[in-house]
Amino acid sequence: MDDRIELVQSEALAAVSDAQDLDALQQVRIQYLGKKGSIQQLMSFMKSLSREEKPAFGQKVNLCKQTVTDAVEARQKELKAAALVKQMEEEKLDITLAGYDLEIGTVHPLMMIQQEIEDLFLGMGYKIAEGPEVEQDYYNFELANIPKDHPARDMQDTFYIDPNTLLRTHTTAMQMRELEKARGGLPIKLICPGKVYRRDDDDATHSHQFMQSEGLVVGEHITLADLKGTLEFMANKMFGEGRKIRFRPSYFPFTEPSVEVDVSCPFCNGRGCSVCKQTGWIEILGAGMVHPHVLEMNGFDPDKCSGFAFGVGLERVAMLKYGIDDIRNFYINDQRFLKTFDRFD
Ligand code: DAH
């Protein structure tokens, strides 16, 4: 009978150490230690033993049961520890693994031009002013000396929201707001960059939305020569040293006299090329002396002060500076285009 106990015990211990995971160990436990398990079955032999033999036999079976129970518990600890190690292996974070590169955007070329203009005028003591894109007819046209039914309104096809409200067609609207705000106070020295809108069909050189910056200086004894010096300085900064500018007579209702400003062609240095159509000059902006009537309407005395103003198209400057031949490139946000302006590359 003792052999039988030993056999069951050694079988059970072998099965315990063979169990490779907790499920398998549980099966072994049921098989040997369960209610109908092999060790319990040994007890059934008690019946066939004599009174004297029973206690010793019972003790041996209990010892066997205890030995197997201890072995199961020990193995369970081992398997649990192994399972934990495995789980930690599987869930391990490899902190040496290279992360994903964050896509960093680029400064939009129009913003680069705007910032360049802002920097150079701030350096000359100008302020930067802002104004609304949804503007009143009053500031966009009336105060700029363009009353209703004035033919000059046709120069700028307008998006109207209602008869008195529109999308500003030029940054000159901000010039008017600033003049009104100053209430005759001198001097005024500011630029106003921003978006403007016109009912144009989009093509390579036209866009229904584009950017301008207005410039305005009002003070005592401001002359056309001040305007010329200022614009020459700007042209040299924007297009490289050695640029010349020239004035051609023009017409704007809010300036008198009005001029169209050309810069000597930066591509051929004024000798004549396909970009400047062999003229050596490229038109860059409109300007003039603030019209006395505009000064008056805004509370300034044109006998005591004068001023110059200009309006420059930022797309035009960017296209010339970077050799871009289609204005639509600025708005379709094609990464291949925008990335060519990446300062961090
Ligand atoms: N507002 C004009 C335009 O959009 C540009 C302009 C011309 C602005 C002459 C001025 C100026 O301030 O003096 O075409």
Side-chain angles (χ1 to χ4, degrees):
M1 212 56 266
D2 288 357
D3 290 352
R4 177 103 192 136
I5 298 174
E6 266 168 33
L7 187 68
V8 169
Q9 178 168 322
S10 62
E11 252 181 43
L13 293 180
V16 166
S17 59
D18 276 356
Q20 292 305 315
D21 57 42
L22 291 165
D23 281 349
L25 186 64
Q26 179 64 0
Q27 291 309 313
V28 172
R29 182 206 295 277
I30 294 168
Q31 190 183 340
Y32 290 95
L33 296 169
K35 274 191 192 138
K36 294 176 184 161
S38 311
I39 294 174
Q40 204 56 40
Q41 277 170 17
L42 287 172
M43 287 300 201
S44 58
F45 288 110
M46 285 278 238
K47 286 184 262 159
S48 58
L49 297 178
S50 66
R51 267 188 80 128
E52 294 77 39
E53 286 169 325
K54 275 183 184 170
F57 180 78
Q59 259 177 14
K60 280 190 183 142
V61 174
N62 275 339
L63 192 63
C64 165
K65 192 175 179 180
Q66 194 54 52
T67 307
V68 174
T69 304
D70 290 349
V72 167
E73 276 169 13
R75 183 72 184 141
Q76 190 175 37
K77 269 192 195 142
E78 265 172 37
L79 289 174
K80 273 190 178 161
L84 187 64
V85 169
K86 187 162 168 248
Q87 187 188 4
M88 287 195 328
E89 269 308 312
E90 282 170 3
E91 293 176 3
K92 191 158 97 180
L93 271 188
D94 182 357
I95 54 168
T96 65
L97 197 69
Y100 295 109
D101 267 355
L102 267 188
E103 275 264 349
I104 297 177
T106 54
V107 179
H108 194 279
L110 291 177
M111 275 303 119
M112 284 165 63
I113 296 291
Q114 181 175 335
Q115 284 167 5
E116 219 175 299
I117 290 178
E118 287 180 357
D119 279 355
L120 86 91
F121 279 97
L122 280 172
M124 291 193 282
Y126 284 58
K127 263 189 357 175
I128 297 174
E130 291 179 346
E133 289 172 31
V134 177
E135 186 52 285
Q136 294 167 35
D137 182 285
Y138 180 66
Y139 292 107
N140 197 83
F141 290 129
E142 295 284 331
L143 274 189
N145 208 19
I146 318 176
K148 291 223 161 45
D149 303 322
H150 191 291
R153 288 208 177 200
D154 298 343
M155 286 163 73
Q156 302 180 355
D157 231 343
T158 310
F159 286 114
Y160 274 95
I161 289 164
D162 63 44
N164 294 317
T165 319
L166 45 79
L167 296 184
R168 70 181 175 207
T169 58
H170 52 181
T171 46
T172 306
M174 285 191 269
Q175 180 190 148
M176 298 312 146
R177 280 181 175 271
E178 290 300 315
L179 282 172
E180 186 190 59
K181 217 191 294 173
R183 293 170 176 270
L186 296 175
I188 298 175
K189 221 175 150 185
L190 48 87
I191 58 165
C192 341
K195 286 183 197 142
V196 297
Y197 302 82
R198 289 190 199 170
R199 277 180 48 186
D200 273 333
D201 288 333
D202 292 358
D203 61 23
T205 54
H206 294 87
S207 168
H208 61 281
Q209 179 219 296
F210 57 103
M211 293 195 75
Q212 288 186 331
S213 180
E214 196 80 359
L216 173 69
V217 172
V218 184
E220 285 171 18
H221 312 301
I222 300 293
T223 68
L224 210 59
D226 296 314
L227 171 65
K228 193 162 188 183
T230 305
L231 293 180
E232 198 164 72
F233 179 77
M234 176 170 105
N236 277 288
K237 287 282 177 207
M238 302 296 291
F239 297 109
E241 292 300 317
R243 299 273 68 78
K244 292 198 186 80
I245 60 162
R246 73 174 185 187
F247 284 174
R248 281 179 295 109
S250 185
Y251 171 75
F252 298 105
F254 31 88
T255 43
E256 182 56 38
S258 302
V259 291
E260 212 80 66
V261 182
D262 296 342
V263 61
S264 59
C265 179
F267 297 98
C268 61
N269 227 351
R271 278 187 298 273
C273 67
S274 61
V275 180
C276 60
K277 301 196 182 84
Q278 310 305 331
T279 63
W281 296 95
I282 293 180
E283 183 189 320
I284 52 161
L285 54 85
M289 298 304 291
V290 181
H291 198 293
H293 190 218
V294 171
L295 289 174
E296 243 164 28
M297 277 191 289
N298 284 295
F300 293 85
D301 180 349
D303 291 330
K304 297 212 174 97
C305 66
S306 55
F308 69 69
F310 61 87
V312 56
L314 303 196
E315 282 81 353
R316 178 140 183 84
V317 172
M319 286 168 87
L320 278 175
K321 201 170 151 118
Y322 302 127
I324 298 161
D325 58 5
D326 193 323
I327 196 170
R328 290 168 291 198
N329 279 319
F330 293 118
Y331 315 114
I332 52 182
N333 289 329
D334 184 331
Q335 290 293 315
R336 288 166 300 183
F337 171 78
L338 296 177
K339 286 277 180 195
T340 58
F341 298 92
D342 195 346
R343 298 180 194 176
F344 305 107
D345 253 357

